[in-house]
Structures are given as C-alpha cells and as structure tokens.
C-alpha cells in the first residue's frame, strides 16, 4: 500500500487507545477522496475498524457521521464515543492495546499476516504483527524503533 499523507500509524494513541486515530484518519481521508480505495476501500468499517467500534460500543456509521461533522478533535471524538458506549477502564484499555499491537503474532491472524508479508515483498523485514505490517507496507518502517514499548 502507498504511504498516504495524513494516515497515521496504528501505534499512535488517542487518549489511552491505539488505532482509534488511524480509523478517524481513514474516515476523513475517504470523505475527502484522498484514501486509495483500491487499497483501503474494501475494509472501511471492517476488520480493525469494526473491532475498535465494537470495543467502544458505537456504530461505525454513527462515529463516521460525527467525525465528518468536523467540529470535534480526536480527543473529543473519543469522549463522544465514551458518552455513547460507556467509558472504558484502564484495564480494558490495556487489554485492547495489548491485543491490537500483538495481532498476527502467534494467533489466529498469523497466516493472514504471513500471506500479506509475502504479497507485499516484505519477507526478511522485522514484521511480527499486523501493526508492524501496516507501518512497513505504508513506508513507515517503525518496527525497529519498537513503538509498542512507548505505549
């Protein structure tokens, strides 16, 4: 996948959560016509997006409409989610972050990750998780910096 200006790493946190900011970026970029649909279109609102919305107990479409209203920053959008779906505890956020940053490492997504690594020509790179894969595939190559240890 190409490096898309304005699409942040899945490791980037908003409040206590990884991935949430990336999902917001995808919503905004898609609405602006700047998200390559050939690479991202099929999974909008699915996969990690769906997991994130399920974790927050909000509907993707509702969050998307709120994001596109354009009057809230990312922290306020997370607060909006907490108002609707209920606030998450520190422990729940720790579990969410731990699950997400390790997805693809010795779990049910390992086969998919291996396939994507091969298809993207990233064999031999230190890609251990889906987050690593996204960063490498989009040209960020942050895995050697071990961003998960800064979370």
């Amino acid at each position: 996948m190409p490096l898309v200006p304005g699409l942040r790493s899945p490791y980037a946190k908003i409040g206590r959560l990884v991935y949430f900011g990336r999902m917001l970026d995808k919503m905004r970029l898609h609405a602006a016509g700047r998200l390559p649909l050939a690479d991202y279109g099929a999974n909008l609102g699915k996969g990690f997006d769906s997991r994130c919305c399920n974790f927050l107990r909000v509907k993707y479409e509702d969050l998307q409409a709120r994001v596109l209203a354009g009057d809230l920053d990312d922290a306020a959008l997370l607060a909006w989610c907490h108002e609707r779906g209920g606030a998450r505890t520190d422990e729940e956020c720790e579990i969410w972050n731990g699950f997400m940053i390790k997805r693809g490492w010795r779990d049910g997504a390992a086969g998919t990750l291996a396939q994507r690594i091969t298809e993207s020509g990233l064999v031999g790179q230190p890609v251990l998780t889906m987050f690593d894969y996204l960063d490498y595939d989009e040209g960020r190559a942050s895995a050697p910096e071990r961003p998960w240890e800064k979370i």
Side-chain angles (χ1 to χ4, degrees):
M1 291 182 279
L3 179 62
V4 178
L7 181 60
R8 71 190 102 182
S9 168
Y11 286 110
K13 288 173 77 174
I14 300 297
R16 300 174 294 167
L17 301 180
V18 297
Y19 190 78
F20 181 72
R22 179 183 174 86
M23 180 175 61
L24 301 180
D25 291 345
K26 291 193 312 181
M27 290 173 178
R28 292 175 181 126
L29 290 165
H30 178 249
R34 296 189 344 240
L35 188 70
L37 293 182
D39 296 310
Y40 297 92
N43 289 318
L44 286 174
K46 301 174 186 169
F48 286 172
D49 294 351
S50 176
R51 283 184 186 267
C52 189
C53 288
N54 288 339
F55 175 71
L56 293 168
R57 297 185 191 132
V58 297
K59 292 182 181 177
Y60 179 85
E61 295 78 16
D62 294 344
L63 176 57
Q64 183 180 38
R66 193 66 195 99
V67 168
L68 298 181
D71 60 335
L72 297 179
D73 66 15
D74 293 350
L77 287 164
L78 182 56
W80 180 89
C81 290
H82 289 319
E83 289 169 9
R84 274 140 193 83
R88 298 290 160 267
T89 66
D90 288 342
E91 183 178 20
E92 288 171 320
C93 292
E94 181 180 359
I95 292 167
W96 163 260
N97 291 341
F99 171 79
M100 290 298 288
I101 66 174
K102 294 175 187 165
R103 189 70 175 144
W105 182 71
R106 298 182 179 184
D107 66 13
T112 300
L113 176 60
Q115 179 181 345
R116 289 187 181 173
I117 289 168
T118 300
E119 290 171 353
S120 298
L122 295 172
V123 174
Q125 297 295 330
V127 176
L128 302 176
T129 68
M130 293 301 285
F131 276 21
D132 292 349
Y133 169 75
L134 291 169
D135 272 355
Y136 268 88
D137 196 43
E138 293 171 352
R140 279 185 292 276
S142 68
E145 298 170 16
R146 305 173 66 85
W148 53 91
E149 292 179 353
K150 298 174 181 116
I151 294 175

